[in-house]
Amino acid sequence: LQGQTAFLRIGTPAASRSMDRIPNRNTQLFGPGPLGRRPTGIGARPPLQGLVITAAQGLAFALTGGMIYKVFIGDPGIRQIEEYYKENPP
C-alpha cells in the first residue's frame, strides 16, 4: 500500500504525467524569459497618470449614472414623504 492513505491515493503516475506537460508552449505568452506582450492604453501610461485617468472615468460614470437615476426614476423615498405631508399637513 505504498503511496496510499486510508482515504485517498497520493502520487499516482497518471497525475504526475499530466502535471509535467505544459498545455501551451507559445513563447509570446508563456516563454522562459520576459513575456512578449506589451501594455497598451492606460496600462502603457505611467502609474500615477493611469490612476488619475481611471479615477476620473469612474467619477464621470458614477455621476452620469446618478443623474440618469434621478431624472428617470426620481427619489421614491422623498416622493413618499412629500405625498404624506400633502395628505397630512403638520
Side-chain angles (χ1 to χ4, degrees):
L1 292 178
Q2 184 179 10
Q4 291 183 358
T5 63
F7 298 105
L8 60 113
R9 196 173 218 179
I10 298 173
T12 60
S16 65
R17 273 184 278 149
S18 66
M19 294 299 289
D20 291 339
R21 189 176 75 82
I22 298 173
N24 191 343
R25 295 185 188 277
N26 184 349
T27 57
Q28 292 271 327
L29 298 174
F30 305 101
L35 298 178
R37 296 176 285 172
R38 300 287 178 242
T40 58
I42 293 178
R45 298 181 184 273
L48 183 59
Q49 186 180 11
L51 175 67
V52 169
I53 290 172
T54 304
Q57 288 175 347
L59 181 63
F61 184 75
L63 290 175
T64 304
M67 292 303 292
I68 289 172
Y69 174 81
K70 191 75 169 167
V71 169
F72 289 111
I73 297 174
D75 199 348
I78 292 179
R79 198 177 321 142
Q80 290 173 349
I81 293 170
E82 289 174 351
E83 290 173 4
Y84 172 80
Y85 280 110
K86 283 181 186 174
E87 296 171 1
N88 306 310

